[in-house]
Amino acid sequence: MKNSASRRAAAWLACLALGAAGMARANDADGVKIGVLTDMAGVTADATGKGSVEAARMAIEEMGGKVLGKPVALVVGDHQHKPDIGSSMARQWYDADGVDVIVDVPNSSVALAVQAVAREKKKLVMFSSPGTTALTQAQCSPYGVQWTYTTYALSRGTANAVVQEGNKTWFILASDYAFGKQLAADTSAVVAANGGKVVDTVYHPLNASDFASFLLQAQASKAQIVAVANAGGDTIMAIKQAAEFGIGQGGQKLAAMLLLLTDVHSLGLQAAQSTYLTVPSYWDMNDGTRAFSKQFQARVGHPPTFLQAGVYGAVRHYLKSVRAAGTTDSEAVMAKMKSLPIDDAFSLNAHIRADGLVVRDMLLAQVKAPGQSSQPWDYYRVVRTIAGQALAWPLPESQCPLVKP
């Protein structure tokens, strides 16, 4: 089944590549080119993948398909969650294929590798899906933007709320790569700052199928909260198996540190209900998000996850900035991206800081019970809006070399 999915994804990518090449040949070869580097068949494919590509396409269409009188072409690649593949593809795109900006890049390890290439080539990259804070902290770049979220933001939003409800002891189950390790570290810091204690942290391999040993450790820890710090298919599998092990029935509670709309759909409201989560956006926030999501769902089959909404917003802002700068020159476009207001419907009070981080208001939400949902994909109850400044590290404390002391 997995091989079949991979073959279908490969065939789809080949068709897209041919279409993009045809577009470039049929139009001006020097037109603006955007590369969507994503996950087409792995653990985050539902939350990014084809939906990220369609989100980018919708942003291009909204801008008229052209900028500075030149066509906007789209190319797509699958990094397979491997940093060497991601960095090689980025190098090929920048050096040989004329790609002006890369977007999406789920998987923090891949993102850090791509950031290094973009810095070397002085080319732009806008990260919609990775959460590691290293992208805009110690390994920041004058050519990189962390668009949607960070592990720091999600952990502060969710862990603050859960600890303040009196849940002081935590066990963290995290994925064993840069994203999971950073999310676990950020969650631990927030728990400790609120007077709680992390009794243990364990790491599982990416794309794990068996969480039994980890969940037995969680039960033995007697921690009040079992925090799941991973993404996509790993999150779904961990929460499903936690239910099978009776976590929740024995008095422990689950907290998902990154939970996406597609994850909740796969789990079902019965299993996911009452879970607190922090989200940068939600399809049902306002008239603008609802209108976009209706069109998106007609193409993809579900409303956008906040990662896919991030791709849309990033591509839209990039094209607006190219138009305002009158050029695709990386330095000029980055200066415009930092000075222009971010005004897509999914971005609340957002702006790009000197370190490349997009500071934005986010939503503390809670998954609805089955009886509270009034329509398909009506999964979240918004508890409150969290100010972006509360979810971003203070600039004076930044490790980013771009930030002047």
Side-chain angles (χ1 to χ4, degrees):
M1 186 133 181
K2 185 177 178 182
N3 288 337
S4 176
S6 297
R7 285 195 297 271
R8 288 196 301 272
W12 191 79
L13 282 170
C15 290
L16 276 174
L18 287 170
M23 183 186 301
R25 284 193 297 270
N27 295 289
D28 185 349
D30 295 327
V32 178
K33 190 174 286 188
I34 297 170
V36 182
L37 187 55
T38 190
D39 169 20
M40 296 303 301
V43 294
T44 57
D46 285 347
T48 59
K50 180 182 177 181
S52 289
V53 177
E54 289 303 321
R57 196 187 307 281
M58 289 174 69
I60 293 169
E61 291 170 359
E62 190 174 299
M63 298 296 290
K66 292 184 177 182
V67 66
L68 305 182
K70 300 177 182 179
V72 181
L74 194 65
V75 296
V76 181
D78 185 347
H79 58 52
Q80 301 175 46
H81 290 276
K82 296 178 180 178
D84 58 337
I85 292 177
S87 59
S88 294
M89 193 168 293
R91 193 175 298 276
Q92 168 71 23
W93 282 359
Y94 288 143
D95 282 346
D97 297 339
V99 168
D100 297 292
V101 62
I102 292 174
V103 299
D104 202 15
V105 203
N107 187 304
S108 291
S109 299
V110 178
L112 290 168
V114 171
Q115 174 107 306
V117 175
R119 184 188 298 109
E120 174 193 341
K121 301 298 178 182
K122 298 184 178 180
K123 290 284 192 174
L124 296 176
V125 57
M126 301 180 74
F127 298 106
S128 308
S129 295
T132 180
T133 57
L135 288 168
T136 42
Q137 283 271 32
Q139 297 186 50
C140 72
S141 165
Y143 305 101
V145 174
Q146 191 162 21
W147 183 266
T148 313
Y149 77 103
T150 64
T151 55
Y152 182 95
L154 297 190
S155 61
R156 286 183 69 84
T158 303
N160 269 334
V162 175
V163 175
Q164 288 170 13
E165 284 190 340
N167 301 293
K168 298 294 186 179
T169 56
W170 287 55
F171 179 98
I172 300 176
L173 171 60
S175 51
D176 192 13
Y177 69 106
F179 166 78
K181 290 178 179 179
Q182 188 67 63
L183 186 53
D186 290 339
T187 300
S188 297
V190 174
V191 170
N194 283 274
K197 178 182 179 182
V198 175
V199 298
D200 201 2
T201 301
V202 296
Y203 297 95
H204 69 80
L206 184 68
N207 204 13
S209 59
D210 185 2
F211 289 85
S213 63
F214 307 116
L215 294 170
L216 287 171
Q217 291 179 65
Q219 285 181 314
S221 75
K222 305 297 183 184
Q224 293 169 286
I225 297 295
V226 178
V228 180
N230 48 23
D234 285 332
T235 302
I236 295 166
M237 188 65 70
I239 292 176
K240 282 184 175 178
Q241 291 186 15
E244 294 169 4
F245 274 79
I247 290 177
Q249 299 173 10
Q252 292 177 303
K253 301 175 185 176
L254 282 175
M257 306 315 295
L258 171 62
L259 191 63
L260 295 160
L261 192 69
T262 45
D263 301 335
V264 175
H265 185 74
S266 295
L267 286 164
L269 292 180
Q270 188 63 44
Q273 64 181 307
S274 301
T275 302
Y276 278 105
L277 65 157
T278 299
V279 292
S281 66
Y282 179 44
W283 72 268
D284 199 20
M285 286 197 313
N286 55 54
D287 289 343
T289 60
R290 285 187 284 272
F292 176 90
S293 298
K294 183 178 180 179
Q295 297 178 44
F296 183 91
Q297 186 166 352
R299 299 185 184 203
V300 180
H302 61 74
T305 64
F306 65 70
L307 305 180
Q308 293 159 343
V311 173
Y312 162 74
V315 171
R316 186 178 185 274
H317 192 64
Y318 170 77
L319 292 174
K320 284 188 63 178
S321 300
V322 169
R323 180 175 291 169
T327 177
T328 57
D329 175 76
S330 295
E331 283 82 3
V333 175
M334 178 62 82
K336 283 296 180 184
M337 287 201 294
K338 289 181 176 179
S339 65
L340 290 175
I342 296 172
D343 63 355
D344 68 278
F346 291 93
S347 296
L348 304 175
N349 298 321
H351 67 278
I352 305 175
R353 294 198 312 191
D355 54 2
L357 176 67
V358 173
V359 179
R360 62 176 70 242
D361 292 356
M362 296 190 186
L363 307 173
L364 178 65
Q366 189 174 29
V367 178
K368 291 182 176 181
Q372 297 172 326
S373 179
S374 61
Q375 60 178 309
W377 300 96
D378 175 29
Y379 293 160
Y380 298 162
R381 177 180 71 86
V382 175
V383 178
R384 65 175 179 269
T385 299
I386 308 172
Q389 292 299 331
L391 299 174
W393 51 88
L395 273 179
E397 299 174 11
S398 176
Q399 302 170 28
C400 174
L402 301 175
V403 177
K404 297 179 181 179

